[in-house]
Amino acid sequence: MLHKNQSFISGRIASVKYAFIGFKKLATTEHSIITQLAALFLVSCAGFYFEISATEWMFQTLAFFLILSIEGLNTAVERVADFIHPDFHKKIGEIKDIAAGAVTFAALGTFIILLIIYIPKINLF
């Protein structure tokens, strides 16, 4: 936690430290993040295999990191909701569903981007 007496530089260093702690926690404990990281690895291997262009790499990378970011925010929303109201509550469930829906939008967008990139490269006939 940052303190008022920290300098700008030490405050930024502390912020980066906490960001990496959160990154590690997400990447090692959240199954949805772990699954997305595995998918990113596999699709990256496909990118090297099919020799996709720099522009295709940018879209693919942006799409996957968008999913990972929204998954992280979804996890934070779920944890806050559970902290505020640990028992089942209809409104808390609705909030969690909406946050998960945001992840679904990003995942569908990523899927469409991957189809646009890879369908022309896979010669099925």
Short mmCIF file of all heavy atoms in Angstrom, two decimals, residues 43-90:
data_model
loop_
_atom_site.label_atom_id
_atom_site.label_comp_id
_atom_site.label_asym_id
_atom_site.label_seq_id
_atom_site.Cartn_x
_atom_site.Cartn_y
_atom_site.Cartn_z
N VAL A 43 -1.83 -20.75 -29.92
CA VAL A 43 -2.09 -19.90 -31.09
C VAL A 43 -0.81 -19.20 -31.53
O VAL A 43 -0.59 -18.98 -32.73
CB VAL A 43 -3.23 -18.91 -30.79
CG1 VAL A 43 -3.40 -17.89 -31.89
CG2 VAL A 43 -4.53 -19.66 -30.57
N SER A 44 0.07 -18.88 -30.59
CA SER A 44 1.36 -18.30 -30.96
C SER A 44 2.20 -19.31 -31.74
O SER A 44 2.86 -18.94 -32.72
CB SER A 44 2.12 -17.83 -29.72
OG SER A 44 1.42 -16.76 -29.11
N CYS A 45 2.15 -20.57 -31.33
CA CYS A 45 2.85 -21.62 -32.10
C CYS A 45 2.28 -21.69 -33.52
O CYS A 45 3.03 -21.78 -34.49
CB CYS A 45 2.72 -22.98 -31.41
SG CYS A 45 3.66 -23.10 -29.87
N ALA A 46 0.95 -21.59 -33.62
CA ALA A 46 0.31 -21.60 -34.94
C ALA A 46 0.76 -20.37 -35.75
O ALA A 46 0.99 -20.46 -36.96
CB ALA A 46 -1.21 -21.61 -34.81
N GLY A 47 0.90 -19.24 -35.10
CA GLY A 47 1.36 -18.03 -35.77
C GLY A 47 2.74 -18.20 -36.37
O GLY A 47 3.00 -17.78 -37.51
N PHE A 48 3.64 -18.85 -35.62
CA PHE A 48 4.97 -19.12 -36.17
C PHE A 48 4.91 -20.13 -37.30
O PHE A 48 5.57 -19.99 -38.33
CB PHE A 48 5.92 -19.61 -35.07
CG PHE A 48 6.35 -18.51 -34.13
CD1 PHE A 48 5.97 -18.54 -32.80
CD2 PHE A 48 7.13 -17.45 -34.57
CE1 PHE A 48 6.35 -17.53 -31.93
CE2 PHE A 48 7.52 -16.43 -33.71
CZ PHE A 48 7.13 -16.48 -32.39
N TYR A 49 4.09 -21.16 -37.13
CA TYR A 49 3.97 -22.20 -38.14
C TYR A 49 3.44 -21.63 -39.46
O TYR A 49 3.96 -21.92 -40.53
CB TYR A 49 3.06 -23.33 -37.65
CG TYR A 49 2.86 -24.42 -38.67
CD1 TYR A 49 3.84 -25.40 -38.86
CD2 TYR A 49 1.72 -24.46 -39.45
CE1 TYR A 49 3.67 -26.40 -39.80
CE2 TYR A 49 1.53 -25.45 -40.40
CZ TYR A 49 2.51 -26.42 -40.57
OH TYR A 49 2.35 -27.41 -41.53
N PHE A 50 2.39 -20.82 -39.38
CA PHE A 50 1.76 -20.26 -40.58
C PHE A 50 2.41 -18.94 -41.03
O PHE A 50 1.97 -18.36 -42.01
CB PHE A 50 0.27 -20.05 -40.35
CG PHE A 50 -0.51 -21.33 -40.31
CD1 PHE A 50 -1.03 -21.80 -39.11
CD2 PHE A 50 -0.72 -22.09 -41.46
CE1 PHE A 50 -1.74 -22.98 -39.06
CE2 PHE A 50 -1.43 -23.27 -41.43
CZ PHE A 50 -1.95 -23.72 -40.22
N GLU A 51 3.43 -18.50 -40.30
CA GLU A 51 4.16 -17.29 -40.64
C GLU A 51 3.21 -16.11 -40.87
O GLU A 51 3.20 -15.48 -41.92
CB GLU A 51 5.05 -17.52 -41.87
CG GLU A 51 6.10 -18.58 -41.64
CD GLU A 51 6.96 -18.87 -42.86
OE1 GLU A 51 6.64 -18.38 -43.97
OE2 GLU A 51 7.95 -19.59 -42.70
N ILE A 52 2.42 -15.82 -39.85
CA ILE A 52 1.47 -14.71 -39.97
C ILE A 52 2.22 -13.38 -40.03
O ILE A 52 3.36 -13.27 -39.57
CB ILE A 52 0.41 -14.74 -38.84
CG1 ILE A 52 1.03 -14.52 -37.46
CG2 ILE A 52 -0.40 -16.03 -38.89
CD1 ILE A 52 0.00 -14.44 -36.33
N SER A 53 1.56 -12.38 -40.60
CA SER A 53 2.20 -11.07 -40.79
C SER A 53 2.30 -10.32 -39.46
O SER A 53 1.66 -10.68 -38.47
CB SER A 53 1.38 -10.24 -41.77
OG SER A 53 0.15 -9.84 -41.18
N ALA A 54 3.08 -9.24 -39.48
CA ALA A 54 3.22 -8.41 -38.28
C ALA A 54 1.87 -7.84 -37.85
O ALA A 54 1.56 -7.79 -36.65
CB ALA A 54 4.22 -7.29 -38.54
N THR A 55 1.06 -7.45 -38.81
CA THR A 55 -0.27 -6.92 -38.48
C THR A 55 -1.14 -8.00 -37.84
O THR A 55 -1.85 -7.74 -36.86
CB THR A 55 -0.96 -6.37 -39.75
OG1 THR A 55 -0.11 -5.36 -40.32
CG2 THR A 55 -2.33 -5.80 -39.44
N GLU A 56 -1.08 -9.21 -38.37
CA GLU A 56 -1.84 -10.32 -37.79
C GLU A 56 -1.35 -10.62 -36.37
O GLU A 56 -2.16 -10.88 -35.48
CB GLU A 56 -1.74 -11.54 -38.68
CG GLU A 56 -2.47 -11.37 -40.00
CD GLU A 56 -2.15 -12.44 -41.03
OE1 GLU A 56 -1.02 -12.98 -41.03
OE2 GLU A 56 -3.04 -12.72 -41.85
N TRP A 57 -0.04 -10.56 -36.16
CA TRP A 57 0.51 -10.75 -34.81
C TRP A 57 -0.03 -9.69 -33.86
O TRP A 57 -0.39 -9.99 -32.71
CB TRP A 57 2.04 -10.69 -34.81
CG TRP A 57 2.70 -11.99 -35.12
CD1 TRP A 57 3.41 -12.30 -36.23
CD2 TRP A 57 2.73 -13.16 -34.28
NE1 TRP A 57 3.87 -13.59 -36.15
CE2 TRP A 57 3.47 -14.14 -34.97
CE3 TRP A 57 2.19 -13.48 -33.04
CZ2 TRP A 57 3.69 -15.41 -34.44
CZ3 TRP A 57 2.41 -14.74 -32.51
CH2 TRP A 57 3.16 -15.69 -33.22
N MET A 58 -0.09 -8.45 -34.33
CA MET A 58 -0.59 -7.38 -33.47
C MET A 58 -2.05 -7.61 -33.07
O MET A 58 -2.39 -7.48 -31.90
CB MET A 58 -0.42 -6.02 -34.15
CG MET A 58 1.02 -5.54 -34.18
SD MET A 58 1.19 -3.85 -34.78
CE MET A 58 0.82 -4.07 -36.52
N PHE A 59 -2.89 -7.95 -34.06
CA PHE A 59 -4.29 -8.19 -33.74
C PHE A 59 -4.46 -9.40 -32.81
O PHE A 59 -5.23 -9.35 -31.85
CB PHE A 59 -5.11 -8.41 -35.02
CG PHE A 59 -5.52 -7.14 -35.69
CD1 PHE A 59 -4.94 -6.76 -36.90
CD2 PHE A 59 -6.48 -6.31 -35.13
CE1 PHE A 59 -5.32 -5.59 -37.51
CE2 PHE A 59 -6.86 -5.14 -35.74
CZ PHE A 59 -6.27 -4.76 -36.94
N GLN A 60 -3.74 -10.47 -33.09
CA GLN A 60 -3.82 -11.67 -32.26
C GLN A 60 -3.38 -11.37 -30.83
O GLN A 60 -4.05 -11.74 -29.87
CB GLN A 60 -2.96 -12.77 -32.88
CG GLN A 60 -2.91 -14.06 -32.08
CD GLN A 60 -2.12 -15.12 -32.82
OE1 GLN A 60 -2.53 -15.58 -33.87
NE2 GLN A 60 -0.98 -15.51 -32.26
N THR A 61 -2.26 -10.70 -30.70
CA THR A 61 -1.72 -10.38 -29.38
C THR A 61 -2.64 -9.44 -28.62
O THR A 61 -2.95 -9.67 -27.44
CB THR A 61 -0.31 -9.76 -29.52
OG1 THR A 61 0.52 -10.68 -30.23
CG2 THR A 61 0.30 -9.45 -28.16
N LEU A 62 -3.10 -8.39 -29.29
CA LEU A 62 -4.03 -7.45 -28.65
C LEU A 62 -5.30 -8.15 -28.19
O LEU A 62 -5.77 -7.94 -27.06
CB LEU A 62 -4.37 -6.31 -29.62
CG LEU A 62 -5.35 -5.27 -29.09
CD1 LEU A 62 -4.78 -4.54 -27.88
CD2 LEU A 62 -5.70 -4.28 -30.19
N ALA A 63 -5.83 -9.03 -29.04
CA ALA A 63 -7.07 -9.74 -28.70
C ALA A 63 -6.88 -10.61 -27.46
O ALA A 63 -7.72 -10.60 -26.55
CB ALA A 63 -7.54 -10.57 -29.89
N PHE A 64 -5.78 -11.36 -27.41
CA PHE A 64 -5.56 -12.25 -26.27
C PHE A 64 -5.31 -11.45 -24.99
O PHE A 64 -5.82 -11.81 -23.92
CB PHE A 64 -4.42 -13.23 -26.53
CG PHE A 64 -4.91 -14.54 -27.05
CD1 PHE A 64 -4.90 -14.80 -28.41
CD2 PHE A 64 -5.41 -15.50 -26.20
CE1 PHE A 64 -5.36 -16.01 -28.91
CE2 PHE A 64 -5.88 -16.71 -26.67
CZ PHE A 64 -5.86 -16.96 -28.03
N PHE A 65 -4.55 -10.38 -25.08
CA PHE A 65 -4.28 -9.61 -23.87
C PHE A 65 -5.51 -8.83 -23.41
O PHE A 65 -5.67 -8.56 -22.23
CB PHE A 65 -3.04 -8.74 -24.03
CG PHE A 65 -1.78 -9.54 -23.83
CD1 PHE A 65 -1.16 -10.15 -24.90
CD2 PHE A 65 -1.25 -9.72 -22.56
CE1 PHE A 65 -0.02 -10.92 -24.72
CE2 PHE A 65 -0.12 -10.50 -22.36
CZ PHE A 65 0.51 -11.10 -23.45
N LEU A 66 -6.41 -8.52 -24.35
CA LEU A 66 -7.69 -7.94 -23.97
C LEU A 66 -8.49 -8.95 -23.14
O LEU A 66 -9.04 -8.61 -22.09
CB LEU A 66 -8.47 -7.52 -25.20
CG LEU A 66 -9.85 -6.91 -24.95
CD1 LEU A 66 -9.73 -5.59 -24.19
CD2 LEU A 66 -10.58 -6.70 -26.27
N ILE A 67 -8.54 -10.19 -23.60
CA ILE A 67 -9.24 -11.23 -22.83
C ILE A 67 -8.62 -11.38 -21.45
O ILE A 67 -9.33 -11.42 -20.44
CB ILE A 67 -9.21 -12.61 -23.54
CG1 ILE A 67 -10.06 -12.61 -24.78
CG2 ILE A 67 -9.69 -13.71 -22.59
CD1 ILE A 67 -9.98 -13.90 -25.57
N LEU A 68 -7.29 -11.48 -21.40
CA LEU A 68 -6.61 -11.65 -20.11
C LEU A 68 -6.92 -10.48 -19.17
O LEU A 68 -7.15 -10.68 -17.97
CB LEU A 68 -5.11 -11.81 -20.32
CG LEU A 68 -4.68 -13.12 -20.97
CD1 LEU A 68 -3.22 -13.03 -21.42
CD2 LEU A 68 -4.87 -14.29 -20.01
N SER A 69 -6.92 -9.27 -19.71
CA SER A 69 -7.21 -8.09 -18.88
C SER A 69 -8.64 -8.14 -18.35
O SER A 69 -8.87 -7.88 -17.16
CB SER A 69 -7.02 -6.82 -19.71
OG SER A 69 -5.69 -6.71 -20.13
N ILE A 70 -9.58 -8.45 -19.22
CA ILE A 70 -10.98 -8.49 -18.78
C ILE A 70 -11.21 -9.65 -17.82
O ILE A 70 -11.98 -9.53 -16.87
CB ILE A 70 -11.93 -8.51 -19.99
CG1 ILE A 70 -11.76 -7.21 -20.78
CG2 ILE A 70 -13.37 -8.66 -19.55
CD1 ILE A 70 -12.52 -7.16 -22.08
N GLU A 71 -10.53 -10.77 -18.04
CA GLU A 71 -10.61 -11.89 -17.08
C GLU A 71 -10.12 -11.44 -15.71
O GLU A 71 -10.71 -11.79 -14.68
CB GLU A 71 -9.77 -13.09 -17.55
CG GLU A 71 -10.35 -13.89 -18.67
CD GLU A 71 -11.39 -14.90 -18.24
OE1 GLU A 71 -11.88 -14.84 -17.09
OE2 GLU A 71 -11.73 -15.75 -19.07
N GLY A 72 -9.05 -10.67 -15.68
CA GLY A 72 -8.53 -10.15 -14.41
C GLY A 72 -9.53 -9.24 -13.73
O GLY A 72 -9.76 -9.33 -12.52
N LEU A 73 -10.15 -8.35 -14.50
CA LEU A 73 -11.17 -7.48 -13.93
C LEU A 73 -12.39 -8.27 -13.47
O LEU A 73 -12.97 -7.96 -12.41
CB LEU A 73 -11.59 -6.42 -14.97
CG LEU A 73 -10.53 -5.40 -15.33
CD1 LEU A 73 -10.99 -4.51 -16.48
CD2 LEU A 73 -10.16 -4.56 -14.11
N ASN A 74 -12.76 -9.30 -14.22
CA ASN A 74 -13.87 -10.16 -13.83
C ASN A 74 -13.57 -10.84 -12.49
O ASN A 74 -14.42 -10.89 -11.60
CB ASN A 74 -14.13 -11.21 -14.91
CG ASN A 74 -15.26 -12.15 -14.55
OD1 ASN A 74 -16.32 -11.73 -14.12
ND2 ASN A 74 -15.02 -13.44 -14.73
N THR A 75 -12.35 -11.32 -12.34
CA THR A 75 -11.95 -11.95 -11.08
C THR A 75 -12.03 -10.95 -9.93
O THR A 75 -12.53 -11.27 -8.84
CB THR A 75 -10.52 -12.52 -11.20
OG1 THR A 75 -10.51 -13.51 -12.22
CG2 THR A 75 -10.04 -13.11 -9.89
N ALA A 76 -11.58 -9.72 -10.18
CA ALA A 76 -11.64 -8.69 -9.14
C ALA A 76 -13.09 -8.39 -8.76
O ALA A 76 -13.41 -8.28 -7.57
CB ALA A 76 -10.93 -7.43 -9.61
N VAL A 77 -13.97 -8.26 -9.75
CA VAL A 77 -15.39 -8.01 -9.47
C VAL A 77 -15.97 -9.14 -8.63
O VAL A 77 -16.69 -8.91 -7.65
CB VAL A 77 -16.19 -7.83 -10.79
CG1 VAL A 77 -17.69 -7.91 -10.55
CG2 VAL A 77 -15.82 -6.52 -11.46
N GLU A 78 -15.67 -10.38 -9.02
CA GLU A 78 -16.19 -11.54 -8.27
C GLU A 78 -15.69 -11.53 -6.84
O GLU A 78 -16.46 -11.79 -5.91
CB GLU A 78 -15.79 -12.83 -8.97
CG GLU A 78 -16.54 -13.07 -10.26
CD GLU A 78 -16.15 -14.39 -10.92
OE1 GLU A 78 -15.23 -15.08 -10.44
OE2 GLU A 78 -16.78 -14.70 -11.94
N ARG A 79 -14.42 -11.22 -6.64
CA ARG A 79 -13.87 -11.22 -5.28
C ARG A 79 -14.47 -10.12 -4.43
O ARG A 79 -14.77 -10.32 -3.25
CB ARG A 79 -12.35 -11.11 -5.33
CG ARG A 79 -11.71 -12.30 -6.02
CD ARG A 79 -10.69 -12.98 -5.17
NE ARG A 79 -10.14 -14.12 -5.86
CZ ARG A 79 -8.85 -14.34 -6.00
NH1 ARG A 79 -7.97 -13.49 -5.50
NH2 ARG A 79 -8.44 -15.42 -6.62
N VAL A 80 -14.64 -8.94 -5.01
CA VAL A 80 -15.26 -7.84 -4.27
C VAL A 80 -16.70 -8.20 -3.92
O VAL A 80 -17.15 -8.00 -2.78
CB VAL A 80 -15.21 -6.52 -5.08
CG1 VAL A 80 -16.11 -5.46 -4.46
CG2 VAL A 80 -13.78 -6.00 -5.17
N ALA A 81 -17.43 -8.75 -4.89
CA ALA A 81 -18.82 -9.14 -4.65
C ALA A 81 -18.91 -10.18 -3.53
O ALA A 81 -19.77 -10.09 -2.65
CB ALA A 81 -19.46 -9.66 -5.93
N ASP A 82 -18.02 -11.18 -3.57
CA ASP A 82 -18.02 -12.21 -2.53
C ASP A 82 -17.64 -11.63 -1.17
O ASP A 82 -18.15 -12.08 -0.14
CB ASP A 82 -17.05 -13.34 -2.89
CG ASP A 82 -17.56 -14.19 -4.05
OD1 ASP A 82 -18.77 -14.13 -4.36
OD2 ASP A 82 -16.74 -14.91 -4.65
N PHE A 83 -16.76 -10.64 -1.16
CA PHE A 83 -16.35 -10.01 0.09
C PHE A 83 -17.52 -9.22 0.69
O PHE A 83 -17.78 -9.29 1.89
CB PHE A 83 -15.15 -9.10 -0.15
CG PHE A 83 -14.68 -8.38 1.07
CD1 PHE A 83 -13.95 -9.04 2.05
CD2 PHE A 83 -14.97 -7.03 1.26
CE1 PHE A 83 -13.51 -8.37 3.19
CE2 PHE A 83 -14.55 -6.35 2.38
CZ PHE A 83 -13.82 -7.03 3.35
N ILE A 84 -18.20 -8.47 -0.17
CA ILE A 84 -19.31 -7.64 0.30
C ILE A 84 -20.50 -8.49 0.75
O ILE A 84 -21.13 -8.20 1.75
CB ILE A 84 -19.74 -6.66 -0.81
CG1 ILE A 84 -18.65 -5.63 -1.03
CG2 ILE A 84 -21.07 -5.98 -0.47
CD1 ILE A 84 -18.86 -4.73 -2.23
N HIS A 85 -20.77 -9.54 0.00
CA HIS A 85 -21.94 -10.37 0.31
C HIS A 85 -21.58 -11.84 0.07
O HIS A 85 -21.84 -12.37 -1.00
CB HIS A 85 -23.13 -9.94 -0.58
CG HIS A 85 -24.45 -10.27 0.03
ND1 HIS A 85 -24.89 -11.55 0.20
CD2 HIS A 85 -25.43 -9.46 0.51
CE1 HIS A 85 -26.08 -11.54 0.75
NE2 HIS A 85 -26.44 -10.28 0.95
N PRO A 86 -20.98 -12.51 1.08
CA PRO A 86 -20.51 -13.89 0.89
C PRO A 86 -21.62 -14.91 0.62
O PRO A 86 -21.37 -15.91 -0.05
CB PRO A 86 -19.79 -14.22 2.20
CG PRO A 86 -19.84 -13.02 3.05
CD PRO A 86 -20.67 -11.98 2.38
N ASP A 87 -22.81 -14.65 1.10
CA ASP A 87 -23.92 -15.57 0.86
C ASP A 87 -24.53 -15.28 -0.51
O ASP A 87 -24.36 -14.21 -1.08
CB ASP A 87 -24.99 -15.40 1.94
CG ASP A 87 -24.46 -15.73 3.32
OD1 ASP A 87 -23.61 -16.63 3.42
OD2 ASP A 87 -24.87 -15.05 4.29
N PHE A 88 -25.27 -16.27 -1.02
CA PHE A 88 -25.93 -16.07 -2.32
C PHE A 88 -26.90 -14.90 -2.24
O PHE A 88 -27.67 -14.76 -1.30
CB PHE A 88 -26.68 -17.32 -2.77
CG PHE A 88 -27.43 -17.10 -4.05
CD1 PHE A 88 -26.76 -17.14 -5.26
CD2 PHE A 88 -28.79 -16.79 -4.04
CE1 PHE A 88 -27.45 -16.90 -6.44
CE2 PHE A 88 -29.48 -16.56 -5.22
CZ PHE A 88 -28.80 -16.61 -6.43
N HIS A 89 -26.82 -14.06 -3.25
CA HIS A 89 -27.76 -12.95 -3.39
C HIS A 89 -28.01 -12.75 -4.87
O HIS A 89 -27.07 -12.72 -5.67
CB HIS A 89 -27.18 -11.68 -2.75
CG HIS A 89 -28.18 -10.58 -2.64
ND1 HIS A 89 -28.48 -9.75 -3.70
CD2 HIS A 89 -28.95 -10.18 -1.60
CE1 HIS A 89 -29.39 -8.88 -3.31
NE2 HIS A 89 -29.70 -9.11 -2.04
N LYS A 90 -29.26 -12.59 -5.23
CA LYS A 90 -29.65 -12.47 -6.63
C LYS A 90 -28.91 -11.32 -7.33
O LYS A 90 -28.42 -11.48 -8.45
CB LYS A 90 -31.16 -12.29 -6.74
CG LYS A 90 -31.67 -12.28 -8.16
CD LYS A 90 -33.19 -12.15 -8.19
CE LYS A 90 -33.66 -12.10 -9.63
NZ LYS A 90 -35.10 -11.96 -9.73
#
